[in-house]
Amino acid sequence: MTKPDAQAGSAGALTGKRIMVTRARSQVRELVDTIEGLGGEAYAFPILKMVEPDDKRNLDEAIAKLGTFDWVIFTSVNGVRFFVERMREIGVGIEAIKGQVAAVGPKTAAALTEQGLNVAVIPSDYVAEGLLTSLHDQLKPGQRVLLPRADIARKTLPKELAALGMAVTEVDVYHTVIDGEQAPEAARRLRNKEIDSILFTSSSTVTHFIQAMAPFAEKGWLDQVKIACIGPITAETARKNGLTVHVVATEFTVEGLLAALIEKLGGK
């Protein structure tokens, strides 16, 4: 997403709105550019960053056995990026993936296509539950499934796959850690009522935000802010952390999040 599109709204749709973006540093720029293209003022507060796992033995072992898996399921663009990078580091080509490939979401599918892989399944809604529904008729007990994911990924998908009789191998391909460098500045903007909305694009952005901002939180400090979440799982995490959620996207993408935000906030 590098420019405003029809789903997100027309140019000027966020004019006069000041929006805090909490995506990872590696992903925040394109969302900031899009908000600014819609006339809004974006404040990038990258609250987390992705790093390689310290111990890659399980990941390397899974890559060495890639040809034995019937399915390889990716749940994020970052999962694709770190997995492919590790394959290259240890000298394994993309052709080593012999099984079918599935992706949660169109961005993840596009990242796989860029690597030359054919994506067999993309669920209509971009969460693990949707993937299970889409895959259900194609999954056979005894098939081997590889899930390259973040260390903090939800356990719904591996549990449900195992319940269907699949042999599931789950490996950490990256870790998410707090990047709280800008927390004092972000807190100052919130305290001075310089932010109209905060965008959360995953549960981890919520939990990392809460942890990083804990030293600055005070009663009523977010009362003027609209909390916008990319989907119901992120919204649930926000509510569990005491936030009032005002916007939840019905299409679980950043484009869907912006469209929902525009519907709620509008511009001047």
Side-chain angles (χ1 to χ4, degrees), residues 19-201:
I19 300 165
M20 181 179 285
V21 181
T22 60
R23 293 199 97 184
R25 193 172 294 278
S26 61
Q27 296 174 308
V28 75
R29 188 69 250 170
E30 63 175 353
L31 186 49
V32 165
D33 289 345
T34 303
I35 290 169
E36 292 176 348
L38 293 166
E41 178 186 332
Y43 172 63
F45 179 30
I47 194 61
L48 55 84
K49 56 186 175 183
M50 288 82 170
V51 298
E52 296 179 352
D54 293 332
D55 186 347
K56 303 184 183 71
R57 284 176 293 184
N58 289 339
L59 173 57
D60 291 352
E61 184 178 349
I63 291 173
K65 297 177 180 176
L66 263 175
T68 69
F69 291 99
D70 300 290
W71 289 91
V72 184
I73 300 175
F74 292 91
T75 56
S76 72
V77 172
N78 289 309
V80 176
R81 178 166 66 87
F82 278 93
F83 189 76
V84 172
E85 284 179 0
R86 186 59 185 166
M87 288 177 69
R88 289 179 178 142
E89 286 174 359
I90 60 177
V92 176
I94 203 73
E95 67 279 0
I97 298 177
K98 304 296 185 185
Q100 298 198 77
V101 176
V104 176
K107 292 288 180 63
T108 304
L112 290 164
T113 302
E114 286 180 7
Q115 300 298 330
L117 292 168
N118 292 319
V119 180
V121 177
I122 308 172
S124 56
D125 53 354
Y126 310 137
V127 293
E129 289 81 353
L131 184 68
L132 286 168
T133 301
S134 300
L135 279 175
H136 194 272
D137 292 339
Q138 301 182 59
L139 300 176
K140 309 295 181 189
Q143 285 184 324
R144 291 169 53 82
V145 180
L146 176 61
L147 290 175
R149 309 206 299 165
D151 59 323
I152 58 170
R154 291 190 305 140
K155 298 301 179 184
T156 301
L157 189 56
K159 284 182 178 178
E160 292 296 326
L161 289 169
L164 293 172
M166 317 290 287
V168 181
T169 299
E170 188 180 9
V171 291
D172 295 345
V173 291
Y174 66 95
H175 291 178
T176 61
V177 296
I178 292 178
D179 185 355
E181 182 181 342
Q182 290 180 216
E185 164 70 11
R188 184 192 65 76
R189 288 181 179 243
L190 288 165
R191 203 161 35 237
N192 293 342
K193 304 187 187 310
E194 297 173 6
I195 299 295
D196 296 306
S197 180
I198 305 173
L199 303 189
F200 291 112
T201 54

Side-chain angles (χ1 to χ4, degrees), residues 125-127 129 154 203 229-240 245 247-252:
D125 53 354
Y126 310 137
V127 293
E129 289 81 353
R154 291 190 305 140
S203 288
C229 297
I230 200 166
I233 294 167
T234 302
E236 182 182 359
T237 302
R239 294 187 185 101
K240 286 181 177 176
V245 177
V247 177
V248 182
T250 54
E251 178 190 304
F252 312 146

Side-chain angles (χ1 to χ4, degrees), residues 245-268:
V245 177
H246 303 85
V247 177
V248 182
T250 54
E251 178 190 304
F252 312 146
T253 64
V254 289
E255 292 88 346
L257 177 58
L258 286 177
L261 184 68
I262 290 167
E263 185 177 350
K264 181 71 176 182
L265 287 184
K268 285 183 178 175

